[in-house]
Amino acid sequence: MEKGPLGRRRGRGARERILSASQQLFRDQGINRTGMDQLCAVAQVSKRTAYQHFTSKDELVAEYLRRFDPDVMPGVFDRTDLTPRERLLAAFEIPASTPLCPYIAAAVELHDPQHPASQYARDYKTAIAARLTETAREAGATNPEQLGEQLALLIDGASARTRVLNSESFPTAAAIAAVLIDNAIPASSPRQPSDDRGTTGSAPVPVGAQ
Amino acid sequence: MEKGPLGRRRGRGARERILSASQQLFRDQGINRTGMDQLCAVAQVSKRTAYQHFTSKDELVAEYLRRFDPDVMPGVFDRTDLTPRERLLAAFEIPASTPLCPYIAAAVELHDPQHPASQYARDYKTAIAARLTETAREAGATNPEQLGEQLALLIDGASARTRVLNSESFPTAAAIAAVLIDNAIPASSPRQPSDDRGTTGSAPVPVGAQ
DNA sequence: ACCGTTCGGTACAGATCGGTCTACATAGCT
DNA sequence: AGCTATGTAGACCGATCTGTACCGAACGGT
């Protein structure tokens, strides 16, 4: 994008432009409703080049999902300025503009558990749950695996519900999370144990997706 | 095929066959991956007849979603043999074969909040939450609206997660529900307040969908 | 400055989609 | 039986999708 308008930007970064356009279009329109023609036009890439980098649209979709990992994972969990408990709650402070977890959307749209993209979706969900479990362990939960899985379920529920209804469901999920966390941590937490509500008062967390 | 006693008109249940085939195919293959040709073949209906009953596929999809209401709503909530608390927990005993809440699937596949089917999806989700709220009130919850909304979110989360991962997530949701219910009911519930786990021991609830 | 490589633009092929229309079969009424 | 209305079977149309082929233009090494 450094080359100006009407950019005769030569091949370098074609792959990145394709993936960037995929993120935008798949998010805004869905996977099935985005054709390769439109995608190539947005990416300013010829179809020839597109099919040189990705042998098929399925492969592009798979790579599109795989690429989300590095973007999303470090969002909340690396914030050392927060206690583990605050980090767990911060995972629910998702901006309302965030559409729907792309992994859920892809799993529904592709409708094929054998699709390579579906495998990446499972990997991502598992990784998120593992991160939550790890943080739950830091927070002193008696059963970190259980708490991590529970919080992951809450995130997905809020994401799906936000999509179907228009109302924001993450505050509801955060309230549930607060109850679960307080019930799961025996007596002494690293900080005050009674926060009652999900909002920790810190700045919105710049998490890329849920 | 039987010549049903459906009345003087020759409406030999073509409309019902179409809707029945829709339920099966949309569930097994998804909406976008099911063509009208295949649908008519399964329903044993000519395309002419199909487009006589439904002016477009969009209208068929909307009616397919609208038809779920009477099938699903009475599943759990009308079981007078259970206490309100048991009814709330029974809502999480969903057979593993149940694929994905068709309303979530439709909202993702259609990808258009203005689609009439999306409106039915919102209506259904609102109705389910209302039923849960009503039952929560019977159970003596201090804030029935909040508990109903929370339980609805858990159901959707388990449904979405079951779809993306293969693992069954409803037991996890049921465990959360048990915690929330116990926290939401002040002191005296109509039955013993400590059931510990989500399984009430009753027979699996024949709920059609989540 | 030449030449090979690569990319953009685009026409095209093959398949499939939603939706329409015609030709033929059948059931009910009189 | 004959008439009429409705249903079936399926060809057909235009649009759209994925993926391929071709051609000219713009770079890079020498």
Side-chain angles (χ1 to χ4, degrees), chain B residues 50-62:
Chain B
Y51 279 96
Q52 232 162 325
H53 284 285
F54 306 96
T55 64
S56 67
K57 185 184 180 182
D58 282 339
E59 185 182 312
L60 171 59
V61 171

Side-chain angles (χ1 to χ4, degrees), chain B residues 5 14 20 26 47 53 59 69 84 93-94 100 104 120 123 125 144 167 176 178 182-183 188 199 210:
Chain B
S20 175
F26 290 166
K47 295 184 72 174
H53 284 285
E59 185 182 312
D69 289 23
E93 293 184 9
I94 305 250
L100 169 69
I104 299 177
Y120 287 132
D123 294 345
K125 289 299 175 192
S167 68
I176 303 175
D182 289 343
N183 273 34
S188 64
T199 58
Q210 58 284 66

Side-chain angles (χ1 to χ4, degrees), chain B residues 21 25-26 28-36 38-39 57:
Chain B
L25 292 175
F26 290 166
D28 295 345
Q29 309 179 349
I31 295 173
N32 290 330
R33 300 182 108 78
T34 299
M36 290 298 288
Q38 183 192 12
L39 199 150
K57 185 184 180 182

Side-chain angles (χ1 to χ4, degrees), chain A residues 81-152:
Chain A
D81 56 323
L82 301 180
T83 66
R85 181 180 181 283
E86 288 170 338
R87 257 174 285 163
L88 290 177
L89 284 172
F92 291 87
E93 293 182 11
I94 305 248
S97 62
T98 309
L100 170 68
C101 166
Y103 299 93
I104 297 178
V108 174
E109 284 206 82
L110 302 175
H111 213 276
D112 176 16
Q114 308 302 324
H115 195 290
S118 300
Q119 182 59 48
Y120 287 132
R122 285 191 290 272
D123 293 346
Y124 176 81
K125 289 298 175 193
T126 305
I128 287 287
R131 286 282 235 169
L132 289 167
T133 293
E134 174 191 338
T135 309
R137 182 173 289 113
E138 292 179 37
T142 57
N143 194 339
E145 284 84 5
Q146 178 182 320
L147 183 57
E149 181 68 20
Q150 289 177 341
L151 296 181

Side-chain angles (χ1 to χ4, degrees), chain A residues 161 164-165, chain B residues 64-75 77 94 101-104 116-132 152 155-156 207-210:
Chain A
R161 220 163 157 70
V164 177
L165 311 169
Chain B
Y64 146 75
L65 279 194
R66 201 182 66 80
R67 277 299 187 89
F68 258 91
D69 289 23
D71 298 346
V72 184
M73 291 297 294
F77 300 109
I94 305 250
C101 168
Y103 299 91
I104 299 177
S118 299
Q119 182 59 50
Y120 287 132
R122 284 191 292 272
D123 294 345
Y124 177 82
K125 289 299 175 192
T126 304
I128 287 286
R131 288 282 236 167
L132 289 166
I155 292 175
D156 286 342
V207 60
Q210 58 284 66

Side-chain angles (χ1 to χ4, degrees), chain A residues 1-10 44:
Chain A
M1 207 159 293
E2 54 265 62
K3 190 67 172 290
L6 209 66
R8 277 281 184 263
R9 196 72 193 114
R10 204 56 189 180
Q44 289 183 315

